[in-house]
Amino acid sequence: MATTVDPHRTGQRPNVASADVQLPAVRDYAQVDEEIIGTLRPTGKWFAALGVSILFMLIGAATWAYQIYWGLGQAGYEPPVMWGVYIITFVFWVGIGHAGTLISAILYLFRAGFRTTIYRAAEAMTVFAVMTAGLFPIIHIGRPWKFFWLLPYPNWRLLWPQFKSPLVWDVFAISTYLTISTTFLYVGLIPDIAVLRDRETNPIRKRIFSILSLGWRNSEREWRHFARAYLFLAALSTPLVLSVHSVVSFDFAMALVPGWHATIFPPYFVAGAIFSGFAMVWTIMIPIRKWWKLEHYVTLNHLDATAKVVLLTSLVVGSAYLIEFFIAWYSGVPAEQEYFWNRTFGQWWWAEWTLLTCNMILPLSLFSQNLRRNPMWLFILSIFINIGMWFERFVIVIPSLSHEFEPWQWTTYTPSWVDIAFIAGSFGWFFMWFLLFVKQLPVLAISEVKEIVPPRVRRRSSVAADAPATGGH
Amino acid sequence: MSTTSGSSGVQRRSFLKVLGASGVAAGAIGCSSDRVDKLIPYLNSPDNTVPGVSNYYATTCRECSAACGLIAEVRDGRVIKLEGNPDHPLNQGALCSRGQAGLQGLYNPDRYRGPMLREGDALVPVTWERALQELNTRLSQAGALQNAVFINQHESGSFPALLDEWLASRGMPPHVSIDADVNMPSVEANREAYGVAWPALDFTAARLIVSVGADFLDDWGAVVPQQLSFADARAKLTEAPRFVYIGSRRSLTGLNADEWIACRPGTELMVMQALAGQMPVAQAAEAAGANAAQLEALVAELRGAGSSLVLAGTHGTNATEVARAAAALNQSLGNVGTTVLPGRALTSFEGLSGASALKAVSERMTSGSVPVVFVRGANPVFTTAPAAGFAQAFQSVPFKVSFSSYPDETTVLCDLVLPDHHALESWGTAQPLANSIGMQQPVMKPVFNTRSTADVLLQLGSTGAAAAAPAANGDSAYRQWLEQRFGGGVDAFVAAVTTGQAQGTTTSAAARPALTPASADPSTPIGDTDGEFFLHVYPSPLLGTGSGANKPWLQELADPVTKLAWQSWVEIHPTTAQRLGVENGDRLTITTGAGSVTAPAYIFLGVQPDTVAMPLGRGHTAYGRYAKDIGVNPLVALPVAADSATGAMAYSATKCRVEKEGSHDQLVTTEGSARQHGRGIAQALTVAELTALQNGTAEEPHGHDIPGVPSYSALPGLRSPIAADAQGELADSSAAQKGMYDPEHWSGMARRRWAMTIDLSRCTGCSACVTACYAENNIPTVGAPWQGRATSPVTWDERPGANIIKGREMTWIRIERYYEGGEDNGTDFETRFVPMLCQHCGNAPCEPVCPVYATYHAPDGLNVQVYNRCVGTRYCSNNCPYKVRYYNWFGYGEPNRRQYAFPEPLNWQLNPDVTVRGKGVMEKCTFCVQRIREAEHRASSEERDLNPDEFTVACAQACPSRAIVFGDAADATWSVAQMAVDQRAYHVFEDLSTFTAVVYLKKVNHPAPGAPVQA
Amino acid sequence: MTTRRKWAAVPGLAVIAIAATLLSAYSGAQAAQQAAAAPATQTESRDPAVIKAGMDTVAERGPWAYSAASSNVGNSPEQPINFPHPVHVQGAGMNCLYCHNTATKSPDPGLPAVETCMGCHQIVATQSPEIQKLAQYYSDSLPVPWNRIHRVPKYVQFPHQRHVNGGVACQTCHGQVQEMPRVFQYSSLNMGWCVNCHVENQVRYDCATCHY
């Protein structure tokens, strides 16, 4: 009857909490339900935030209409810099979209307990980030109303897309990734939706929840199937984490542009993506745990663990930067060498050094445990890293194109107000979705949290298994 | 499309009558609306006209006095392209940018729609009857007609005679024939020395060319024939003449010189005397601030050169003296008859009245004795310095009549405007050469309600009774007048018209006594002497002294020297700029005794450190939307100094002060870096290296394999065998798909590889090819002030050339200008011009990256861009190492956008065979695929294969240097296939394995004897 | 039990939707090719109903037919003068090229000049109201503003002479115009239709054949 989970009884979930990720402050399962579901109660802060997000989203939408009417000339493009803010922001959001699946899938397979309290938010973030990223290629092209020509479908012209083009690979990679991560998010939600269903009084919402929960009854059999399904999905989406951003990096690596034509790009992009993804998780989770008083769920131990991942990826990305310089020198190609010189000490020094500061130098602070356990610092750092990662893509796209083989066509680039409006719009769009999610569904995984509560809580609940601990039906 | 509503009073109905079934313009792509089109048949089918097929009519170019022969391509009643007449002795098929842009004069949206009459401050439209009536009455009232003045833009041929007949019949004095573009001092000196206004110059016969400010590739004399001869001379490679340029500023001509001897403006005479041995070289060099060693060497070289050619075309107060000295030098060196040919004189400039006559007129007008003044073609209010007060004098005349069809500065002051036909709409003759008459015929019906001035005069007749019935289009009174006077009568006339020219009577120039070399003292600088700098003003090679400014093609075309467009500038030497703390674009105020002008600075190696140079042609206060308020007119800073002999305006050597104004302008430039950074784009050889190459004794320079380093390999021509690549064997596997998906499909096709060679020894950088490309391929101009982008939701960037500042010009073929040497700002430097266009790679980086197959490799070797398939990801452009792909950032082809590039009736010029691109698509050079298809259609209709060199592309056709050769490299009988294996051949960025179809032939330099060889 | 049904619902619907899409897509492509191949079999018939069948192919094409270009098959606008091709071709036995006389030498087949019409109609059938309309245009020296029926987009370069000289019958693309009391658009004029014919006849069909 009770929809609450007792791992000792089911014994299906292998996710045994190690001491450093347990939640000492939790008294019983009921408290878990109460506190986590508490996030669904709308607050003034929430309405304000949603309002701002929607406003930004509308600005972006209006600008898009304006741009479609007049043409892309309204953006800051300065040939031969034919790609600009849109592609930069596209790659930025795709990168953000990586942490989610990494945390929920790979860390799940690695049995990393600290993922438990953050993976739900991370997965939601992934889905919405990819939804945001997916818009930019369409915004970026000259005739967006012809976008469907990139899809292979039978048509009167008997034409197919050019399957050799990395942009077509992108279409497949992004759409696959969106599908899988959405499914993954939904499957993970099923037991929690069941909890909501049981606590819901409004008949319509109850109906919706009961459909979404697919009739979850918390039976042994269901848990067995659920655990299997979750495991398979995790295994299925793990390669995607690596493939998607590798494919995105091919957009550059497959071209012969100086600064793009590099074999190191796929691993370098994946590391960067995880790096930026974790930063965005901080940007989101640290305010949430503060506003909804969830510090005793998302504990400092958890943050500490994530900080270690960030530190590692930061070091990986940093070494990738340095290797790029070495290869440029080693290649002996003047165009390549001049590009890197120009990017570091010439025209674009400011962008390059912003990037190095935010992504290489500041994260080194995480060697200090005090800072790793300081939420405020982690939040600030996460903002810096987000900026740094945006500039990483800026430094890849703009300086390369503005300083190519043909000296006669060397140029510069300044974004226009239209570009800025689209960046603002993308953040509005992303946060709008996330805020709506937070309001409708538990941003922490109730069922999994219950697995890492201290043993005493479990013992108590297993004794009083039939007590109406969580309400029920 | 032919139902597009006729705005702006275009004679739509009569136009529709002549219009065949095809539309006015090729529509913008993407708009395949289901709106019902109309099909408009002919009312009466005209003879020898097939709808959808071009007719070609021979006529004469009137954009400058030289009067080259034209072939006008006419499609369905509209002229769509102007090309040189291959049979014309003057230009032999070539045509300069100004000549080609005549088309935009014909279709200029700011032309007067009909006669205009002044009412109060405004000119209001009236009927021709009313206008002519007004003219008659005012003339009869005017009285004292013997004081009337008729100022005519100079032209050779029969009109001047007709004009004077009419003037005489009405008791008026002969007309004043002026041309601000012609260098009168040179004409004067030529008359004295050779008895002709302009002897033919044979550069090919010379071994040494010395030009003292004579810009024979810019604007000095008849540019096209001179350029043809000069290029031929350069093509002799090891036997080619060495070219030394002496002057205070390196013009386009100067940049083509092997050596530049800089001297102060106004000191050319001393240099000339030094060359003639009348003045110690050291002294002259001292006074002229020139390099004594260079000068010394040149004097010696000149003595030993054998046949040489000395030219002078300065703009100082002693310009005639300098020109005389040059003529004397030619005589003493025995160049007359070898390189200077008075016998084959150019007669285009005969009968020029010159500036002194204009000055006299101006004085008479001021005195108030002139009752009526007529102006036709000329625009003296703009081309004379304001200080001369011509405008005031002109305004003081009670009755002012203009025959101009443009609202230029002079015409807007007039009381009555009787707009003349454009040259392409009217009859006439020209006399470019003594033995050749250029025929001019209307190649289409008038665009607006204008009338040929000749017809108007003939109708007015001597009595001035009520105007005769207007000559219906086609049967022109002037034509009959011409036929009656034409030797051989009507038949001969018709025959001549069809070929565009006829044999005239040959005149042999009488032998002239040798000029006594002038011993006059060198001119003193003009104006207040406390100024630190000399102001050197020069006519723009594209806009002349201003007549070209209302043609968007010419405004958009980057100046061949400075690569600036849509603005005026001040050229200043790097060291001077450093001293004054001036950056590119800082606005400089030039102050002279007469006034001051302000323009952005352009730091230029090719100008004397104590000289600042400014171009003429811009700064109009009227003259239509494309000219008004664009740039500044440096004439406002010129005092009324004139050449002592001819009264020609002294453009150069005015003392001036230069101050930073404080503000900054973005330069409207197409130039990125002017240095090659060792990328081997523009490669060159010295004569020595070439000889070694020909003897096979050239050693492989080390590091020849290092990517990006220019290769001087002695291997013949192609390191990527184009012919073998005809079907893309060398290309990536996508080429194996042959465009669509069937590898077998193309087996039966003729194996072709369309390719091009560009000889950098011939190319002078004149940019005629660029204009030809604009005309042929419907390329939009994007620099007009209203075509910019929004700087905020409510404000627009309305600087002229705003889009070009953003690097968004659409030049499918562009001329890159790279400097070699001269880094230390002191020494001489070399300039290399490289026409850069789509290289149609056999292994094109742009092809595999396009997600929608909008660009692919055609079986005949073309790299094709399919506009209607393009979605505009711009990936292809990123991946193009040559950066020759251009993007439609705005709806330049969409009439309802402010960026529309072809306002009615400019859109009548659009080539129906080429799609007008809509916004959001990529475009680029297609090797004129429409011409290829047309030739293939013709061949297949005649059931034959293409003949070698049967056709060519627009840029190659126009090139006055004959530098470009196009054809099928897979077939050895085409000349391109032979050119491509020249020893000088190389590919740009060969190390990227793109296997390009464009083969460049290295430039050959002629360093001074004993000068350090510059690799 | 209820649980299991709910489990089945979502994926079941998804599968059905996808299957339907693919099916219609495939049938669309098939229909497209049949429609393109159709004229060969139909041109022989003189039954107007069969001629009209050209218009019915719209129905056969399936949803994807419209994904590439909208086709106006059957488009038959009212003309300023009701010109009957049958009377001239079958009745008077005139050849297509008599009026469309540039079809062999120009990309543009050409329309008869009003003068050409009047050549006969100053004598022939002068009383018919349609002819009087024509005469009116002529006396006003105005061209007849015919409504265009067969139209390819402006970015398509279609050379008539290449096809006519190559032995392609007018009817192959325009249908049995000599039997059409009022001309209608017979073929789809869609790109796939062009390409199919080019493939069958082994002539080049890469993009730059027509698009430039």
Side-chain angles (χ1 to χ4, degrees), chain A residues 77 82 143 165 251 406 408, chain B residues 672 808 816 849 870 874-875:
Chain A
Y77 294 109
M82 291 278 188
R143 300 202 290 164
S165 169
D251 290 350
E406 258 260 337
W408 190 257
Chain B
R808 294 171 177 180
E816 300 182 352
V849 297
C870 177
R874 306 188 291 292
Y875 201 170

Side-chain angles (χ1 to χ4, degrees), chain B residues 187-241:
Chain B
V187 172
E188 175 62 24
N190 288 336
R191 286 190 179 131
E192 293 174 18
Y194 315 121
V196 296
W198 210 271
L201 305 172
D202 185 359
F203 295 84
T204 56
R207 291 312 309 272
L208 175 65
I209 303 166
V210 179
S211 165
V212 181
D215 299 331
F216 55 85
L217 299 177
D218 298 54
D219 64 316
W220 184 80
V223 172
V224 171
Q226 282 158 188
Q227 187 174 342
L228 281 163
S229 172
F230 178 72
D232 287 343
R234 278 320 185 85
K236 291 165 72 181
L237 303 178
T238 51
E239 300 306 307

